[in-house]
Amino acid sequence: MAQQVFPTKSNLMATKKSLELSRQGYELMDRKRNILVREMMQLIDRAAEIQSRIETAYSSAYSALQRANITMGIVGDFAKAVPEEQGLQVDFRSVMGVELPIVKLEETTRDRFYYGLRSTNSQLDEVYSHFQEVKRLTVELAEVEGSVYRLAIAIKKTQKRANALHNIMIPQFTSTIKFITEALEEKEREDFSRLKVIKSQKDKAAASQSE
């Protein structure tokens, strides 16, 4: 790149400005990457904690289901009365320009019973409550895992841009500045030597005329 730039003072100033902008860009990319990595690590820890809670909730739900089957017989027909979930709401929050999902479950869908209470008992109510908790935790886990996925992609892109600035652009601009500076210094030396020769010749000519 350096050999393709004509060595002028204006090009030197422009390249220095580009170098400064590249350094600032690298610092911003590095800061953004660190913030995103910190956010992702926190979410990974949260995902592990939610996963543990889901496993516990599933265990409790299936234990309650066994008790309900024992006291009422197979309760699969009651489960058919529960409709598919339609109460999910998705919003987004921004972290350093990365849109992360916020998934919520409508409150009205969480504690409503869809089967007849006269033909059932408290064991089935317990089953329903446990699986509602599983659903709530699953929604929460989906939000966290979706955020981690988006952050991982953003971190990869940010790292790639930071590497391009640090390993390619900044060295190229630095090399160009060195090339232009050396070329201008060499030109100044040549101009100085030429002026000295011209001055010497003028001095000799003046001396000859005075004789």
Side-chain angles (χ1 to χ4, degrees):
M1 178 179 177
Q3 278 65 25
Q4 297 177 354
V5 177
F6 196 73
T8 63
K9 290 184 178 180
S10 61
N11 282 339
L12 178 61
M13 293 176 61
T15 306
K16 285 183 176 180
K17 184 176 181 180
S18 296
L19 175 60
E20 181 62 25
L21 290 174
S22 295
R23 285 173 173 167
Q24 291 177 1
Y26 173 74
E27 290 176 1
L28 289 174
M29 289 296 102
D30 189 54
R31 190 179 307 135
K32 177 180 179 179
R33 176 188 56 195
N34 291 335
I35 292 174
L36 294 180
V37 168
R38 184 165 60 249
E39 180 75 16
M40 187 177 71
M41 296 308 296
Q42 292 174 350
L43 288 175
I44 288 175
D45 291 340
R46 183 180 166 197
E49 185 264 337
I50 295 172
Q51 186 64 52
S52 176
R53 288 165 59 194
I54 287 179
E55 292 175 0
T56 301
Y58 263 118
S59 178
S60 299
Y62 281 116
S63 295
L65 181 60
Q66 288 179 346
R67 292 192 296 269
N69 284 333
I70 291 173
T71 58
M72 295 179 55
I74 303 301
V75 297
D77 289 339
F78 294 103
K80 295 177 182 178
V82 180
E84 293 183 4
E85 182 58 61
Q86 301 292 332
L88 289 178
Q89 296 178 341
V90 180
D91 201 353
F92 294 91
R93 65 187 179 96
S94 179
V95 177
M96 296 299 291
V98 182
E99 296 295 312
L100 303 182
I102 301 175
V103 186
K104 293 183 178 180
L105 190 63
E106 288 184 3
E107 294 293 329
T108 55
T109 67
R110 288 173 55 177
D111 298 316
R112 179 179 174 184
F113 295 101
Y114 293 92
Y115 50 83
L117 299 181
R118 291 185 179 181
S119 59
T120 60
N121 58 25
S122 60
Q123 299 293 332
L124 185 61
D125 297 343
E126 185 179 353
V127 173
Y128 182 78
S129 296
H130 280 302
F131 276 104
Q132 283 292 91
E133 176 66 8
V134 169
K135 180 170 64 176
R136 185 187 68 79
L137 290 172
T138 301
V139 169
E140 188 176 353
L141 183 62
E143 173 189 308
V144 173
E145 289 184 340
S147 297
V148 169
Y149 176 76
R150 289 181 175 225
L151 285 169
I153 293 176
I155 289 169
K156 184 177 180 179
K157 289 181 179 179
T158 303
Q159 181 68 58
K160 186 176 180 179
R161 291 171 182 169
N163 287 344
L165 288 169
H166 187 262
N167 298 325
I168 300 175
M169 301 306 297
I170 291 176
Q172 283 184 348
F173 288 134
T174 301
S175 176
T176 300
I177 290 171
K178 182 174 182 294
F179 166 74
I180 295 176
T181 301
E182 291 177 349
L184 290 177
E185 289 175 351
E186 180 63 27
K187 185 176 182 299
E188 287 179 359
R189 285 192 293 268
E190 290 175 355
D191 290 344
F192 180 74
S193 298
R194 186 165 55 252
L195 289 174
K196 283 185 66 177
V197 171
I198 294 173
K199 185 177 182 300
S200 177
Q201 290 175 348
K202 286 182 177 181
D203 290 342
K204 288 181 180 179
S208 297
Q209 290 177 359
S210 63
E211 293 177 357

mmCIF file of all heavy atoms in Angstrom, residues 106-140:
data_model
loop_
_atom_site.group_PDB
_atom_site.id
_atom_site.type_symbol
_atom_site.label_atom_id
_atom_site.label_comp_id
_atom_site.label_asym_id
_atom_site.label_seq_id
_atom_site.Cartn_x
_atom_site.Cartn_y
_atom_site.Cartn_z
ATOM 1 N N GLU A 106 -47.854 -14.331 28.852
ATOM 2 C CA GLU A 106 -48.950 -13.549 29.395
ATOM 3 C C GLU A 106 -49.419 -14.108 30.728
ATOM 4 O O GLU A 106 -49.606 -15.318 30.879
ATOM 5 C CB GLU A 106 -50.122 -13.518 28.411
ATOM 6 C CG GLU A 106 -49.872 -12.673 27.175
ATOM 7 C CD GLU A 106 -51.087 -12.598 26.270
ATOM 8 O OE1 GLU A 106 -52.134 -13.154 26.654
ATOM 9 O OE2 GLU A 106 -50.989 -12.002 25.194
ATOM 10 N N GLU A 107 -49.615 -13.228 31.690
ATOM 11 C CA GLU A 107 -49.997 -13.643 33.038
ATOM 12 C C GLU A 107 -51.322 -14.387 33.040
ATOM 13 O O GLU A 107 -51.530 -15.317 33.803
ATOM 14 C CB GLU A 107 -50.102 -12.414 33.953
ATOM 15 C CG GLU A 107 -48.777 -11.713 34.192
ATOM 16 C CD GLU A 107 -47.811 -12.563 34.996
ATOM 17 O OE1 GLU A 107 -48.278 -13.360 35.827
ATOM 18 O OE2 GLU A 107 -46.595 -12.429 34.787
ATOM 19 N N THR A 108 -52.246 -14.011 32.161
ATOM 20 C CA THR A 108 -53.580 -14.611 32.174
ATOM 21 C C THR A 108 -53.576 -16.082 31.755
ATOM 22 O O THR A 108 -54.529 -16.794 32.001
ATOM 23 C CB THR A 108 -54.510 -13.847 31.227
ATOM 24 O OG1 THR A 108 -53.930 -13.806 29.921
ATOM 25 C CG2 THR A 108 -54.731 -12.427 31.718
ATOM 26 N N THR A 109 -52.492 -16.530 31.136
ATOM 27 C CA THR A 109 -52.452 -17.918 30.647
ATOM 28 C C THR A 109 -51.759 -18.864 31.617
ATOM 29 O O THR A 109 -51.684 -20.054 31.361
ATOM 30 C CB THR A 109 -51.717 -17.986 29.303
ATOM 31 O OG1 THR A 109 -50.335 -17.661 29.506
ATOM 32 C CG2 THR A 109 -52.315 -17.011 28.304
ATOM 33 N N ARG A 110 -51.257 -18.336 32.731
ATOM 34 C CA ARG A 110 -50.380 -19.165 33.555
ATOM 35 C C ARG A 110 -51.118 -19.949 34.646
ATOM 36 O O ARG A 110 -50.686 -21.033 35.017
ATOM 37 C CB ARG A 110 -49.303 -18.279 34.185
ATOM 38 C CG ARG A 110 -48.277 -17.808 33.191
ATOM 39 C CD ARG A 110 -47.328 -16.800 33.769
ATOM 40 N NE ARG A 110 -46.669 -17.290 34.972
ATOM 41 C CZ ARG A 110 -45.749 -16.604 35.637
ATOM 42 N NH1 ARG A 110 -45.379 -15.420 35.210
ATOM 43 N NH2 ARG A 110 -45.194 -17.098 36.725
ATOM 44 N N ASP A 111 -52.226 -19.426 35.173
ATOM 45 C CA ASP A 111 -52.870 -20.094 36.322
ATOM 46 C C ASP A 111 -54.329 -20.437 36.051
ATOM 47 O O ASP A 111 -55.132 -20.535 36.960
ATOM 48 C CB ASP A 111 -52.766 -19.185 37.557
ATOM 49 C CG ASP A 111 -51.330 -18.914 37.957
ATOM 50 O OD1 ASP A 111 -50.540 -19.867 37.969
ATOM 51 O OD2 ASP A 111 -50.993 -17.753 38.238
ATOM 52 N N ARG A 112 -54.667 -20.590 34.790
ATOM 53 C CA ARG A 112 -56.046 -20.894 34.423
ATOM 54 C C ARG A 112 -56.194 -22.391 34.203
ATOM 55 O O ARG A 112 -55.386 -23.010 33.507
ATOM 56 C CB ARG A 112 -56.427 -20.128 33.156
ATOM 57 C CG ARG A 112 -57.830 -20.392 32.665
ATOM 58 C CD ARG A 112 -58.096 -19.561 31.423
ATOM 59 N NE ARG A 112 -59.386 -19.889 30.844
ATOM 60 C CZ ARG A 112 -59.835 -19.370 29.717
ATOM 61 N NH1 ARG A 112 -59.075 -18.508 29.051
ATOM 62 N NH2 ARG A 112 -61.015 -19.721 29.232
ATOM 63 N N PHE A 113 -57.249 -22.963 34.776
ATOM 64 C CA PHE A 113 -57.521 -24.392 34.601
ATOM 65 C C PHE A 113 -58.522 -24.565 33.466
ATOM 66 O O PHE A 113 -59.537 -23.858 33.401
ATOM 67 C CB PHE A 113 -58.079 -25.003 35.892
ATOM 68 C CG PHE A 113 -57.092 -24.976 37.024
ATOM 69 C CD1 PHE A 113 -57.183 -24.016 38.024
ATOM 70 C CD2 PHE A 113 -56.061 -25.900 37.095
ATOM 71 C CE1 PHE A 113 -56.278 -23.987 39.072
ATOM 72 C CE2 PHE A 113 -55.153 -25.875 38.135
ATOM 73 C CZ PHE A 113 -55.259 -24.916 39.123
ATOM 74 N N TYR A 114 -58.254 -25.532 32.566
ATOM 75 C CA TYR A 114 -59.099 -25.742 31.405
ATOM 76 C C TYR A 114 -59.946 -27.010 31.524
ATOM 77 O O TYR A 114 -60.677 -27.342 30.603
ATOM 78 C CB TYR A 114 -58.230 -25.832 30.138
ATOM 79 C CG TYR A 114 -57.549 -24.532 29.797
ATOM 80 C CD1 TYR A 114 -56.276 -24.252 30.263
ATOM 81 C CD2 TYR A 114 -58.188 -23.581 29.014
ATOM 82 C CE1 TYR A 114 -55.652 -23.052 29.954
ATOM 83 C CE2 TYR A 114 -57.570 -22.382 28.699
ATOM 84 C CZ TYR A 114 -56.295 -22.118 29.180
ATOM 85 O OH TYR A 114 -55.679 -20.929 28.874
ATOM 86 N N TYR A 115 -59.883 -27.691 32.636
ATOM 87 C CA TYR A 115 -60.660 -28.919 32.828
ATOM 88 C C TYR A 115 -61.660 -28.697 33.968
ATOM 89 O O TYR A 115 -61.526 -27.786 34.790
ATOM 90 C CB TYR A 115 -59.735 -30.105 33.142
ATOM 91 C CG TYR A 115 -58.738 -29.821 34.236
ATOM 92 C CD1 TYR A 115 -59.101 -29.944 35.581
ATOM 93 C CD2 TYR A 115 -57.444 -29.417 33.933
ATOM 94 C CE1 TYR A 115 -58.179 -29.674 36.588
ATOM 95 C CE2 TYR A 115 -56.527 -29.136 34.932
ATOM 96 C CZ TYR A 115 -56.910 -29.278 36.259
ATOM 97 O OH TYR A 115 -56.005 -29.010 37.250
ATOM 98 N N GLY A 116 -62.653 -29.566 34.006
ATOM 99 C CA GLY A 116 -63.672 -29.440 35.041
ATOM 100 C C GLY A 116 -63.126 -29.817 36.411
ATOM 101 O O GLY A 116 -62.501 -30.866 36.585
ATOM 102 N N LEU A 117 -63.357 -28.955 37.383
ATOM 103 C CA LEU A 117 -62.817 -29.209 38.726
ATOM 104 C C LEU A 117 -63.623 -30.273 39.481
ATOM 105 O O LEU A 117 -63.091 -30.921 40.383
ATOM 106 C CB LEU A 117 -62.798 -27.897 39.519
ATOM 107 C CG LEU A 117 -61.921 -26.779 38.926
ATOM 108 C CD1 LEU A 117 -61.972 -25.535 39.808
ATOM 109 C CD2 LEU A 117 -60.484 -27.240 38.762
ATOM 110 N N ARG A 118 -64.890 -30.470 39.114
ATOM 111 C CA ARG A 118 -65.712 -31.459 39.832
ATOM 112 C C ARG A 118 -65.288 -32.880 39.537
ATOM 113 O O ARG A 118 -65.404 -33.764 40.392
ATOM 114 C CB ARG A 118 -67.178 -31.280 39.451
ATOM 115 C CG ARG A 118 -67.794 -29.981 39.978
ATOM 116 C CD ARG A 118 -69.268 -29.925 39.663
ATOM 117 N NE ARG A 118 -69.882 -28.698 40.192
ATOM 118 C CZ ARG A 118 -71.165 -28.395 40.076
ATOM 119 N NH1 ARG A 118 -71.985 -29.236 39.423
ATOM 120 N NH2 ARG A 118 -71.638 -27.267 40.570
ATOM 121 N N SER A 119 -64.788 -33.093 38.309
ATOM 122 C CA SER A 119 -64.411 -34.459 37.917
ATOM 123 C C SER A 119 -62.939 -34.759 38.170
ATOM 124 O O SER A 119 -62.452 -35.817 37.775
ATOM 125 C CB SER A 119 -64.736 -34.669 36.438
ATOM 126 O OG SER A 119 -64.045 -33.720 35.645
ATOM 127 N N THR A 120 -62.240 -33.860 38.786
ATOM 128 C CA THR A 120 -60.814 -34.058 39.058
ATOM 129 C C THR A 120 -60.533 -33.833 40.540
ATOM 130 O O THR A 120 -61.450 -33.558 41.332
ATOM 131 C CB THR A 120 -59.969 -33.062 38.238
ATOM 132 O OG1 THR A 120 -60.334 -31.726 38.593
ATOM 133 C CG2 THR A 120 -60.201 -33.248 36.742
ATOM 134 N N ASN A 121 -59.250 -33.958 40.918
ATOM 135 C CA ASN A 121 -58.870 -33.719 42.312
ATOM 136 C C ASN A 121 -57.631 -32.819 42.373
ATOM 137 O O ASN A 121 -57.111 -32.375 41.350
ATOM 138 C CB ASN A 121 -58.621 -35.045 43.050
ATOM 139 C CG ASN A 121 -57.542 -35.874 42.374
ATOM 140 O OD1 ASN A 121 -56.668 -35.346 41.666
ATOM 141 N ND2 ASN A 121 -57.589 -37.191 42.570
ATOM 142 N N SER A 122 -57.175 -32.593 43.577
ATOM 143 C CA SER A 122 -56.039 -31.688 43.777
ATOM 144 C C SER A 122 -54.746 -32.238 43.186
ATOM 145 O O SER A 122 -53.823 -31.472 42.887
ATOM 146 C CB SER A 122 -55.842 -31.403 45.272
ATOM 147 O OG SER A 122 -55.578 -32.618 45.974
ATOM 148 N N GLN A 123 -54.676 -33.565 42.999
ATOM 149 C CA GLN A 123 -53.483 -34.151 42.404
ATOM 150 C C GLN A 123 -53.291 -33.665 40.963
ATOM 151 O O GLN A 123 -52.178 -33.334 40.546
ATOM 152 C CB GLN A 123 -53.578 -35.686 42.428
ATOM 153 C CG GLN A 123 -53.679 -36.290 43.824
ATOM 154 C CD GLN A 123 -52.402 -36.084 44.619
ATOM 155 O OE1 GLN A 123 -51.317 -35.981 44.062
ATOM 156 N NE2 GLN A 123 -52.542 -36.020 45.944
ATOM 157 N N LEU A 124 -54.394 -33.575 40.206
ATOM 158 C CA LEU A 124 -54.308 -33.087 38.832
ATOM 159 C C LEU A 124 -53.973 -31.596 38.809
ATOM 160 O O LEU A 124 -53.222 -31.136 37.950
ATOM 161 C CB LEU A 124 -55.622 -33.339 38.084
ATOM 162 C CG LEU A 124 -55.609 -32.968 36.597
ATOM 163 C CD1 LEU A 124 -54.560 -33.773 35.849
ATOM 164 C CD2 LEU A 124 -56.990 -33.186 35.978
ATOM 165 N N ASP A 125 -54.530 -30.871 39.781
ATOM 166 C CA ASP A 125 -54.190 -29.447 39.878
ATOM 167 C C ASP A 125 -52.684 -29.262 40.105
ATOM 168 O O ASP A 125 -52.068 -28.348 39.545
ATOM 169 C CB ASP A 125 -54.961 -28.793 41.027
ATOM 170 C CG ASP A 125 -56.464 -28.820 40.801
ATOM 171 O OD1 ASP A 125 -56.878 -29.034 39.653
ATOM 172 O OD2 ASP A 125 -57.211 -28.629 41.774
ATOM 173 N N GLU A 126 -52.115 -30.144 40.904
ATOM 174 C CA GLU A 126 -50.682 -30.065 41.184
ATOM 175 C C GLU A 126 -49.873 -30.376 39.922
ATOM 176 O O GLU A 126 -48.866 -29.712 39.640
ATOM 177 C CB GLU A 126 -50.319 -31.044 42.304
ATOM 178 C CG GLU A 126 -48.877 -30.943 42.751
ATOM 179 C CD GLU A 126 -48.551 -31.899 43.887
ATOM 180 O OE1 GLU A 126 -49.469 -32.541 44.411
ATOM 181 O OE2 GLU A 126 -47.350 -32.000 44.233
ATOM 182 N N VAL A 127 -50.340 -31.375 39.152
ATOM 183 C CA VAL A 127 -49.674 -31.696 37.893
ATOM 184 C C VAL A 127 -49.688 -30.490 36.970
ATOM 185 O O VAL A 127 -48.661 -30.103 36.385
ATOM 186 C CB VAL A 127 -50.367 -32.888 37.198
ATOM 187 C CG1 VAL A 127 -49.765 -33.107 35.793
ATOM 188 C CG2 VAL A 127 -50.221 -34.150 38.020
ATOM 189 N N TYR A 128 -50.865 -29.884 36.830
ATOM 190 C CA TYR A 128 -51.007 -28.730 35.941
ATOM 191 C C TYR A 128 -50.090 -27.585 36.383
ATOM 192 O O TYR A 128 -49.427 -26.958 35.560
ATOM 193 C CB TYR A 128 -52.464 -28.280 35.937
ATOM 194 C CG TYR A 128 -52.733 -27.123 35.004
ATOM 195 C CD1 TYR A 128 -52.849 -27.314 33.629
ATOM 196 C CD2 TYR A 128 -52.868 -25.830 35.498
ATOM 197 C CE1 TYR A 128 -53.085 -26.255 32.770
ATOM 198 C CE2 TYR A 128 -53.104 -24.763 34.650
ATOM 199 C CZ TYR A 128 -53.214 -24.977 33.294
ATOM 200 O OH TYR A 128 -53.448 -23.923 32.448
ATOM 201 N N SER A 129 -50.032 -27.325 37.674
ATOM 202 C CA SER A 129 -49.198 -26.231 38.190
ATOM 203 C C SER A 129 -47.723 -26.489 37.921
ATOM 204 O O SER A 129 -46.975 -25.571 37.543
ATOM 205 C CB SER A 129 -49.439 -26.056 39.697
ATOM 206 O OG SER A 129 -50.767 -25.665 39.946
ATOM 207 N N HIS A 130 -47.294 -27.741 38.100
ATOM 208 C CA HIS A 130 -45.886 -28.079 37.869
ATOM 209 C C HIS A 130 -45.512 -27.909 36.399
ATOM 210 O O HIS A 130 -44.439 -27.366 36.072
ATOM 211 C CB HIS A 130 -45.592 -29.510 38.316
ATOM 212 C CG HIS A 130 -45.383 -29.649 39.793
ATOM 213 N ND1 HIS A 130 -44.421 -28.955 40.476
ATOM 214 C CD2 HIS A 130 -46.022 -30.428 40.728
ATOM 215 C CE1 HIS A 130 -44.454 -29.281 41.756
ATOM 216 N NE2 HIS A 130 -45.428 -30.173 41.944
ATOM 217 N N PHE A 131 -46.401 -28.358 35.506
ATOM 218 C CA PHE A 131 -46.089 -28.225 34.083
ATOM 219 C C PHE A 131 -46.188 -26.766 33.620
ATOM 220 O O PHE A 131 -45.499 -26.368 32.670
ATOM 221 C CB PHE A 131 -46.985 -29.133 33.241
ATOM 222 C CG PHE A 131 -46.485 -30.544 33.140
ATOM 223 C CD1 PHE A 131 -47.075 -31.577 33.862
ATOM 224 C CD2 PHE A 131 -45.385 -30.842 32.331
ATOM 225 C CE1 PHE A 131 -46.596 -32.872 33.779
ATOM 226 C CE2 PHE A 131 -44.900 -32.147 32.247
ATOM 227 C CZ PHE A 131 -45.502 -33.166 32.979
ATOM 228 N N GLN A 132 -47.009 -25.984 34.272
ATOM 229 C CA GLN A 132 -47.023 -24.557 34.000
ATOM 230 C C GLN A 132 -45.680 -23.925 34.367
ATOM 231 O O GLN A 132 -45.164 -23.059 33.656
ATOM 232 C CB GLN A 132 -48.146 -23.877 34.788
ATOM 233 C CG GLN A 132 -49.533 -24.071 34.202
ATOM 234 C CD GLN A 132 -49.700 -23.344 32.876
ATOM 235 O OE1 GLN A 132 -49.446 -23.911 31.809
ATOM 236 N NE2 GLN A 132 -50.116 -22.102 32.915
ATOM 237 N N GLU A 133 -45.104 -24.398 35.474
ATOM 238 C CA GLU A 133 -43.782 -23.909 35.884
ATOM 239 C C GLU A 133 -42.717 -24.341 34.876
ATOM 240 O O GLU A 133 -41.814 -23.561 34.537
ATOM 241 C CB GLU A 133 -43.436 -24.447 37.277
ATOM 242 C CG GLU A 133 -42.050 -24.088 37.787
ATOM 243 C CD GLU A 133 -41.871 -22.599 38.046
ATOM 244 O OE1 GLU A 133 -42.858 -21.847 37.969
ATOM 245 O OE2 GLU A 133 -40.731 -22.189 38.318
ATOM 246 N N VAL A 134 -42.843 -25.570 34.383
ATOM 247 C CA VAL A 134 -41.915 -26.039 33.346
ATOM 248 C C VAL A 134 -42.016 -25.146 32.106
ATOM 249 O O VAL A 134 -41.001 -24.754 31.515
ATOM 250 C CB VAL A 134 -42.219 -27.504 32.963
ATOM 251 C CG1 VAL A 134 -41.446 -27.898 31.702
ATOM 252 C CG2 VAL A 134 -41.850 -28.440 34.113
ATOM 253 N N LYS A 135 -43.243 -24.818 31.720
ATOM 254 C CA LYS A 135 -43.445 -23.961 30.548
ATOM 255 C C LYS A 135 -42.832 -22.574 30.766
ATOM 256 O O LYS A 135 -42.169 -22.038 29.876
ATOM 257 C CB LYS A 135 -44.938 -23.841 30.246
ATOM 258 C CG LYS A 135 -45.252 -22.965 29.041
ATOM 259 C CD LYS A 135 -46.707 -23.073 28.632
ATOM 260 C CE LYS A 135 -47.644 -22.563 29.699
ATOM 261 N NZ LYS A 135 -49.054 -22.584 29.254
ATOM 262 N N ARG A 136 -43.061 -22.015 31.941
ATOM 263 C CA ARG A 136 -42.523 -20.693 32.245
ATOM 264 C C ARG A 136 -40.992 -20.700 32.182
ATOM 265 O O ARG A 136 -40.374 -19.801 31.613
ATOM 266 C CB ARG A 136 -42.987 -20.238 33.623
ATOM 267 C CG ARG A 136 -42.577 -18.814 33.971
ATOM 268 C CD ARG A 136 -42.907 -18.476 35.401
ATOM 269 N NE ARG A 136 -42.085 -19.245 36.324
ATOM 270 C CZ ARG A 136 -40.825 -18.930 36.618
ATOM 271 N NH1 ARG A 136 -40.233 -17.895 36.042
ATOM 272 N NH2 ARG A 136 -40.144 -19.667 37.464
ATOM 273 N N LEU A 137 -40.385 -21.726 32.775
ATOM 274 C CA LEU A 137 -38.931 -21.822 32.767
ATOM 275 C C LEU A 137 -38.390 -22.069 31.358
ATOM 276 O O LEU A 137 -37.316 -21.573 30.998
ATOM 277 C CB LEU A 137 -38.482 -22.947 33.702
ATOM 278 C CG LEU A 137 -38.669 -22.683 35.208
ATOM 279 C CD1 LEU A 137 -38.378 -23.950 36.008
ATOM 280 C CD2 LEU A 137 -37.766 -21.546 35.661
ATOM 281 N N THR A 138 -39.141 -22.839 30.563
ATOM 282 C CA THR A 138 -38.721 -23.100 29.184
ATOM 283 C C THR A 138 -38.713 -21.809 28.370
ATOM 284 O O THR A 138 -37.797 -21.577 27.556
ATOM 285 C CB THR A 138 -39.656 -24.132 28.530
ATOM 286 O OG1 THR A 138 -39.631 -25.352 29.286
ATOM 287 C CG2 THR A 138 -39.224 -24.427 27.100
ATOM 288 N N VAL A 139 -39.718 -20.968 28.587
ATOM 289 C CA VAL A 139 -39.759 -19.665 27.916
ATOM 290 C C VAL A 139 -38.558 -18.819 28.335
ATOM 291 O O VAL A 139 -37.902 -18.176 27.505
ATOM 292 C CB VAL A 139 -41.076 -18.932 28.240
ATOM 293 C CG1 VAL A 139 -41.013 -17.472 27.781
ATOM 294 C CG2 VAL A 139 -42.253 -19.639 27.594
ATOM 295 N N GLU A 140 -38.270 -18.827 29.624
ATOM 296 C CA GLU A 140 -37.135 -18.060 30.130
ATOM 297 C C GLU A 140 -35.830 -18.578 29.544
ATOM 298 O O GLU A 140 -34.952 -17.795 29.152
ATOM 299 C CB GLU A 140 -37.099 -18.135 31.656
ATOM 300 C CG GLU A 140 -36.069 -17.225 32.300
ATOM 301 C CD GLU A 140 -36.133 -17.252 33.828
ATOM 302 O OE1 GLU A 140 -37.068 -17.880 34.380
ATOM 303 O OE2 GLU A 140 -35.234 -16.658 34.448
#
